[in-house]
Amino acid sequence: MKLTSLYCPCQGGEVPPDHYASGTCTKPPAPLPWLLAMQHRVTTDGDHAGNRMTATRLAECPRATAIRDNLPIPAYNLMRSNAQMFGTAVHEFMAKWAPPGYLSEVALAGVLFKGTPYEVEVRGTADVIKPGALVIEDYKTTSEWSQKWRTEHPNESHEEWSVQVSVYNLLAPLDKKATRAAVWSGAIVGKKSKALPWVEMLVRCDMTEEEILAVRPHGGKATVAEHLAIRGRFLADLAGGTDARAAVARLPLTGADCEDWICSYCVVDHVCAALPQMAAEGGIE
């Protein structure tokens, strides 16, 4: 993402993007090295930039991903990325200190849904563990409150997770297909908490392309197929010379029809909320 400014509670509003790096912040919301590391990661994420389609993005709101890839982001609150970066830190810790070769990142890419209106090149990076067992695992961190629910409902994993790992499996070579997949959910929990620090949640890794297209992410109205159709129209607008902001403003807000937390946890919700007004001002229908 291109951050044109940050939000910091020390000012109660917008600050320059070098606010933390310059040392001018009087009351940082987190350790400065952590804030600067998050800012670096947010602004240099090459895996998703340039409107690339990834396994996770198939189930994400197309409007949110378009904003992150194409628009300048003002007043970005780095603490909105805090939970995601904890997950990244946990993954990097395991990758560094687990026995060599035990946790392997496998980059995958290929074309899915060939011969349909939804044909798309998809990229992704799968974590493959237990050499020889062909097991795909993903690692996610969450709050203690969410972890308590997952502890009590270990068999109720999100369908979006099955989409993600099934895409990995569809893109994998024939001799590298996984026979088992799981998402490990982790959280920092108190000694007396009813939540477990880690919960293994089994997910499907054998969804067909037809099944993936039919999934309605996060209980919303739009299917993965409709997400891809929306993305296709957006890319056509850009290719036809439509201004990026106007093209994004035309995108439907599919996240608004999903579970309540989707929009409230979106890191660019403040940019998204301003776009309908901008669209009207620009005469966009």
Side-chain angles (χ1 to χ4, degrees):
M1 288 187 289
K2 181 181 180 181
L3 309 184
T4 57
S5 62
L6 301 173
Y7 168 86
C8 185
C10 84
Q11 298 293 324
E14 199 168 353
V15 296
D18 66 347
H19 179 65
Y20 298 121
S22 64
T24 58
C25 182
T26 58
K27 193 175 182 181
L32 284 175
W34 180 251
L35 290 166
L36 292 170
M38 287 198 295
Q39 185 171 351
H40 175 77
R41 190 63 179 253
V42 165
T43 55
T44 60
D45 178 10
D47 293 335
H48 299 90
N51 298 306
R52 291 177 179 171
M53 177 54 66
T54 64
T56 53
R57 283 189 165 189
L58 285 171
E60 290 184 2
C61 174
R63 183 167 163 128
T65 60
I67 290 171
R68 298 199 300 265
D69 284 1
N70 297 276
L71 300 186
I73 308 298
Y76 187 78
N77 185 350
L78 287 171
M79 295 310 294
R80 298 292 295 273
S81 295
N82 193 62
Q84 177 188 354
M85 295 306 169
F86 263 108
T88 299
V90 167
H91 183 278
E92 292 179 353
F93 174 82
M94 290 189 288
K96 181 175 181 178
W97 295 109
Y102 196 82
L103 173 61
S104 302
E105 281 195 340
V106 180
L108 301 167
V111 176
L112 294 181
F113 319 121
K114 293 180 181 179
T116 75
Y118 315 111
E119 184 172 316
V120 64
E121 182 178 359
V122 180
R123 299 174 181 270
T125 303
D127 295 318
V128 181
I129 67 158
K130 301 175 183 174
L134 295 181
V135 175
I136 295 177
E137 286 191 348
D138 195 22
Y139 310 102
K140 301 183 184 295
T141 55
T142 189
S143 66
E144 183 173 359
W145 182 85
S146 294
Q147 188 72 348
K148 180 178 180 293
W149 187 91
R150 292 177 182 176
T151 298
E152 296 169 349
H153 305 85
N155 297 319
E156 297 184 27
S157 62
H158 297 294
E159 193 173 23
E160 299 77 28
W161 296 350
S162 293
V163 168
Q164 181 181 344
V165 295
S166 292
V167 166
Y168 293 153
N169 227 13
L170 287 168
L171 297 176
L174 286 175
D175 62 339
K176 298 293 183 183
K177 300 291 186 186
T179 56
R180 185 175 181 273
V183 169
W184 279 95
S185 175
I188 299 174
V189 301
K191 184 177 180 180
K192 296 182 180 180
S193 175
K194 295 182 179 180
L196 295 172
W198 286 97
V199 178
E200 182 185 32
M201 308 184 77
L202 298 181
V203 297
R204 287 186 60 187
C205 59
D206 61 349
M207 294 182 76
T208 65
E209 293 188 11
E210 291 75 15
E211 287 179 303
I212 291 172
L213 287 173
V215 168
R216 299 181 185 275
H218 307 292
K221 296 179 180 178
T223 63
V224 169
E226 289 168 316
H227 281 189
L228 289 171
I230 291 167
R231 175 180 179 270
R233 292 193 294 270
F234 170 70
L235 295 179
D237 278 348
L238 292 182
T242 302
D243 173 74
R245 187 173 296 275
V248 172
R250 290 175 173 166
L251 295 174
L253 181 54
T254 62
D257 296 322
C258 298
E259 296 161 346
D260 293 342
W261 57 270
I262 294 298
C263 284
S264 59
Y265 280 93
C266 177
V267 297
V268 292
D269 61 337
H270 63 300
V271 179
C272 183
L275 281 172
Q277 181 179 356
M278 294 177 185
E281 292 171 355
I284 300 169
E285 296 180 358

